[in-house]
Amino acid sequence: MNQTANYRLTIVVPVYNEENNIDALEKSLGEYIKSAICTACVLFVDDGSKDRSLERIKQVCSRNTGFYYISFEKNAGLSAAIKAGIDTACSELVGYIDADLQTRPEDFNLLIQHMDNHELAAGIRANRKDTGFKRLQSKIANGFRRMMTHDGATDTGCPLKIMRTDYARRIPFFTGMHRFLPALIQLQGGRFIEIPVQHFPRVADQSKFNLRNRLIAPFVDCFAYRWMKKRYFNYKIETTDLSE
């Protein structure tokens, strides 16, 4: 049996070359699942790391209850890692946090409180601890995304979110989809809410984002979303005799 089914929340942690953050992740996530307001487990998704990340993840999972992992044969990107985590999780809720710990697991408790009435609860990085240039890039990209999607979301780049797993699995996935989660939930008639969360500077390893994938790629992805939105369809089966 998939052991994530024993928990209400599975926290997906995509990892790519983050070996120097694994100890901090073990400590922070371990402390959180003991104090979480619902039963929670951790699912690491190693995205084909070239350093010792996977080795260290295996060690963490072997000595901690409620810690699990899957690993890719080769690097596939952040969106693929998030999708794999969602596809693997069998819990009612699935969360997502970056391995750099610029957001903190304890803030999942702020989001969980809203999941009875929403299909997505997303963090907003309050007092963001990034450079002015990074904040400017995000401001431009978020503004363009809102204009193209009309999703009303403030900070889709915040790496702290919780979704209802049944809705998350129906999201049409594509490279860059992690920037459009509110809009993709809305396509299904779902509701989302944004909650201010803590933000911290990166303290280990290197950011995987640059000018190209923080600013240029989101512009291109917006057109992909607009194309997909026109062709997206919803259906709900009303009756069936398959169980008779």
Side-chain angles (χ1 to χ4, degrees), residues 56-68:
R56 302 196 67 183
I57 287 170
K58 290 179 178 179
Q59 294 170 356
V60 168
C61 294
S62 70
R63 61 178 177 252
N64 288 278
T65 301
F67 280 66
Y68 309 100

Side-chain angles (χ1 to χ4, degrees), residues 29-215:
L29 290 164
E31 290 175 350
Y32 171 68
I33 63 175
K34 292 175 183 176
S35 63
I37 60 176
C38 71
T39 55
C41 65
V42 175
L43 177 62
F44 291 107
V45 182
D46 182 72
D47 184 18
S49 294
K50 296 178 174 62
D51 61 2
R52 295 177 59 245
S53 292
L54 180 56
E55 175 188 342
R56 302 196 67 183
I57 287 170
K58 290 179 178 179
Q59 294 170 356
V60 168
C61 294
S62 70
R63 61 178 177 252
N64 288 278
T65 301
F67 280 66
Y68 309 100
Y69 77 91
I70 58 176
S71 62
F72 287 173
E73 180 181 16
K74 60 182 180 180
N75 179 248
L78 179 58
S79 291
I82 295 173
K83 171 176 170 48
I86 291 170
D87 289 346
T88 302
C90 291
S91 51
E92 174 193 350
L93 304 175
V94 60
Y96 151 59
I97 188 172
D98 272 356
D100 59 18
L101 285 177
Q102 286 195 257
T103 51
R104 296 298 164 87
E106 57 262 32
D107 284 343
F108 276 122
N109 281 346
L110 300 176
L111 306 184
I112 291 170
Q113 299 176 47
H114 299 276
M115 293 310 298
D116 287 340
N117 299 307
H118 299 85
E119 284 65 49
L120 164 66
I124 303 174
R125 291 168 285 191
N127 301 313
R128 187 173 172 182
K129 301 300 189 296
D130 281 328
T131 66
F133 186 50
K134 286 183 179 179
R135 294 196 300 270
L136 177 62
Q137 292 175 65
S138 292
K139 183 176 181 180
I140 294 171
N142 273 308
F144 186 74
R145 188 210 69 258
R146 280 194 300 273
M147 181 184 72
M148 294 287 283
T149 66
H150 305 290
D151 61 6
T154 304
D155 182 17
T156 60
C158 179
L160 195 77
K161 296 179 174 69
I162 296 179
M163 294 172 280
R164 288 182 53 90
T165 305
D166 53 347
Y167 275 74
R169 286 184 173 171
R170 292 196 297 266
I171 287 174
F173 280 92
F174 53 91
T175 298
M177 67 85 204
H178 58 278
R179 304 183 183 97
F180 297 89
L181 290 176
L184 295 171
I185 289 292
Q186 287 175 334
L187 278 181
Q188 304 177 51
R191 302 154 295 178
F192 85 96
I193 188 171
E194 295 180 307
I195 307 296
V197 298
Q198 304 172 87
H199 191 250
F200 301 87
R202 173 185 272 272
V203 296
D205 288 318
Q206 300 295 317
S207 172
K208 311 308 182 291
F209 292 94
N210 51 41
L211 179 63
R212 180 181 179 279
N213 56 28
R214 186 181 288 114
L215 187 59

